[in-house]
Amino acid sequence: MSRVAYVDGRYLRHDKASIHIEDRGYQFADGVYEVLAVVGGALVDVADHLKRLDRSLAALAIAWPVSERVLPLLMREVVRRNGVTEGMLYLQISRGVARREHAFPARAAPTLVMTARAVPPARRAALVATGVKVVSLPDIRWSRCDIKSVALLPNVLAKQKAKEAGAYEAWMLEPNGTVTEGASSNAWIVDAQGSVITRPLGNDILGGVTRLRVVDLAREAQIKVIERPFTIAEAKAAREAFVTSTTAFVAPVVEIDGVAIGDGRPGAVARKLAALYERHAGVPLGA
Ligand code: PDD
């Protein structure tokens, strides 16, 4: 099945789809995005993603390109037209096309682009089975990381450093050594009592939808959740560590900066939360 992209009301061949060169998303990174998982042909946690999208749009004073009621219908149509049963939906809204001037244009219609692609579920399962490596580096981002903006250059650079070091993720650090989050995931550790610790929501991290669900799932499973900052030194000495994101769900961390976490294998708490999240997302048992 050939891929199809949604661009401002039209379904176009993916390899032919394009936007105007003066789109503000392209020129200023003046836009926001969402990534949703598709499991069994259905979008996971749509309501939470729409809520966050609304928050991001409001923070940047970008109007909804279509109504909040219609958008999920279009999202499902993009998934359907691409024949995706297991994979991802990407959605981006920019402020629109206008002559290049920094301040908001008087009149610009927001640009809405959506794509979907299949991702083999085995890729995620492999992350849980083997665990992932993390490297740490300074957080050089701005002070509104809670907005899911397409301005991802620091994240891109961090992820590249991780890749060059043979790691899956980069954990970004404040000058005092506390971990903010991963380049594309939220960061967690497990203490000696088996409680899970993750940084509280604020302007310095993205409020992950997976993070939100995992907080609930952990509490339902009688696992204590402590929302407080933790340092990279604490993480290296932790019993377990893991990351959460739409792409990885819950992935155990087995190594940070070359230091083995726990016994160097995926931890029991992370594996349990991964299984609970998979069930929540609708992944069939044993898949
Ligand atoms: N990244 N923190 C950052 C900086 C992120 O970019 C992401 C998601 C998360 C986790 O959020 P969620 O659980 O809602 O996916 C945390 C997406 C997947 C991406 O950019 O591809």
Side-chain angles (χ1 to χ4, degrees):
M1 188 180 275
S2 57
R3 291 186 69 194
V4 174
Y6 175 98
V7 184
D8 276 338
R10 298 200 295 158
Y11 294 93
L12 306 173
R13 263 182 57 176
H14 188 273
D15 56 352
K16 295 271 189 281
S18 61
I19 54 151
H20 195 278
I21 54 166
E22 284 198 309
D23 190 280
R24 290 177 62 94
Y26 176 62
Q27 293 194 324
F28 295 113
D30 188 0
V32 301
Y33 76 106
E34 283 292 331
V35 181
L36 286 87
V38 180
V39 175
L43 289 160
V44 179
D45 290 332
V46 189
D48 293 303
H49 283 279
L50 290 174
K51 205 166 143 193
R52 184 170 64 189
L53 180 62
D54 184 49
R55 200 177 165 280
S56 299
L57 288 170
L60 301 182
I62 297 176
W64 277 82
V66 296
S67 79
E68 201 170 341
R69 196 178 46 80
V70 168
L71 186 59
L73 306 177
L74 299 175
M75 290 157 76
R76 290 189 184 102
E77 183 61 10
V78 173
V79 171
R80 194 190 67 77
R81 288 195 189 220
N82 284 281
V84 174
T85 49
E86 308 299 323
M88 292 290 158
L89 175 87
Y90 176 80
L91 175 168
Q92 176 173 330
I93 300 170
S94 78
R95 196 179 305 279
V97 177
R99 191 177 66 197
R100 189 182 180 280
E101 271 170 29
H102 288 64
F104 298 172
R107 264 191 306 278
T111 305
L112 170 59
V113 170
M114 287 188 275
T115 55
R117 69 183 167 93
V119 183
R123 200 174 295 171
R124 200 161 40 221
L127 296 182
V128 181
T130 58
V132 300
K133 294 180 184 176
V134 162
V135 291
S136 66
L137 39 76
D139 192 339
I140 59 167
R141 299 176 301 161
W142 69 332
S143 46
R144 288 306 305 273
C145 298
D146 56 315
I147 302 170
K148 199 163 173 63
S149 109
V150 294
L152 289 173
L153 198 45
N155 310 57
V156 166
L157 297 176
K159 206 74 167 186
Q160 179 60 21
K161 281 254 167 65
K163 189 177 170 185
E164 286 166 10
Y168 171 81
E169 183 57 299
W171 278 8
M172 299 180 286
L173 309 180
E174 292 189 308
N176 66 3
T178 57
V179 177
T180 52
E181 61 182 328
S184 65
S185 61
N186 289 111
W188 303 66
I189 56 171
V190 180
D191 71 11
Q193 286 71 46
S195 305
V196 295
I197 301 169
T198 195
R199 194 178 178 96
L201 296 179
N203 290 356
D204 37 21
I205 63 166
L206 181 75
V209 169
T210 323
R211 177 195 177 285
L212 188 75
R213 285 282 82 80
V214 169
V215 165
D216 290 345
L217 291 167
R219 289 190 172 135
E220 280 164 27
Q222 315 298 326
I223 297 169
K224 190 170 172 191
V225 179
I226 305 168
E227 292 182 83
R228 67 156 171 87
F230 60 86
T231 66
I232 192 70
E234 201 180 351
K236 287 176 188 170
R239 184 195 278 187
E240 292 182 34
F242 60 95
V243 298
T244 57
S245 76
T246 297
T247 10
F249 287 2
V250 179
V253 172
V254 291
E255 196 182 294
I256 303 175
D257 294 334
V259 176
I261 306 306
D263 63 4
R265 285 178 301 191
V269 175
R271 281 188 289 122
K272 169 151 195 182
L273 291 172
L276 290 173
Y277 188 81
E278 282 184 2
R279 193 171 69 183
H280 159 77
V283 177
L285 271 179

